[in-house]
Amino acid sequence: MKSDEYFMRAALAEAREALDQEEVPIGAVVVHEDRIIGRGYNQRERLSDPTAHAEMIAITAAASELQSWRLEHCTLYVTLEPCSMCAGGIVLARIPRLVFGALDAKAGACVSLYNIPTDPRLNHRVQVQPGVLGDESADLLREFFARQRALGKK
């Protein structure tokens, strides 16, 4: 059985693909029975789509692979703490486990600002494991934003 770090490295590879395409470097993979069945990286700029977050793309790919919207036996690995949209998508997809890297103090909806995946008022709760390869995930984000500032963009 492969480790959380193994799959987080796959999510980091997706984040590097986003970085190469000048997107915010966030990557995600969905794992089912020790196999990656969905991959995604941020593509908001390329697709001109505010919902084109890494998690949403990976979840859609995984649902297509399983031919079911219920991802009940899956784990989602993502390099940055999901936002409220993505946290909602995780709950709606019935994903039982979320593993993420860096905390997001400005938009994190799983630990930092909100706790959507564990909210007892919802009909599904998600086990959340933060901090797996969090430093590497944060380093990619710092690199991206440093480049953007140097170009006078963000």
Side-chain angles (χ1 to χ4, degrees), residues 8-143:
M8 187 58 76
R9 291 196 190 288
L12 281 163
E14 294 295 316
R16 286 186 198 92
E17 182 64 29
L19 183 66
D20 290 345
Q21 294 187 24
E22 298 184 19
E23 295 275 358
V24 176
I26 301 168
V29 296
V30 176
V31 174
H32 178 261
E33 296 179 352
D34 222 27
R35 182 175 68 90
I36 295 172
I37 61 166
R39 296 176 181 272
Y41 58 87
N42 270 11
Q43 298 182 52
R44 293 186 310 166
E45 299 297 334
R46 187 171 75 84
L47 298 176
S48 298
D49 180 354
T51 69
H53 288 203
E55 301 94 321
M56 302 305 282
I57 292 168
I59 288 169
T60 298
S64 179
E65 174 70 18
L66 293 180
Q67 297 184 348
S68 175
W69 63 268
R70 292 179 184 90
L71 303 180
E72 295 171 325
H73 302 286
C74 296
T75 298
L76 174 66
Y77 293 84
V78 61
T79 58
L80 182 67
E81 179 181 359
C83 70
S84 56
M85 174 186 69
C86 294
I90 293 163
V91 169
L92 291 173
R94 306 295 194 269
I95 295 172
R97 186 164 181 258
L98 165 67
V99 178
F100 69 84
L103 292 169
D104 185 351
K106 293 183 179 181
C110 300
V111 173
S112 297
L113 297 177
Y114 306 104
N115 293 300
I116 292 170
T118 60
D119 191 319
R121 297 170 294 178
L122 300 174
N123 67 336
H124 174 74
R125 275 162 288 305
V126 180
Q127 176 190 355
V128 177
Q129 175 66 54
V132 176
L133 299 181
D135 290 341
E136 290 181 42
S137 299
D139 288 346
L140 273 178
L141 289 160
R142 278 191 285 275
E143 177 184 342

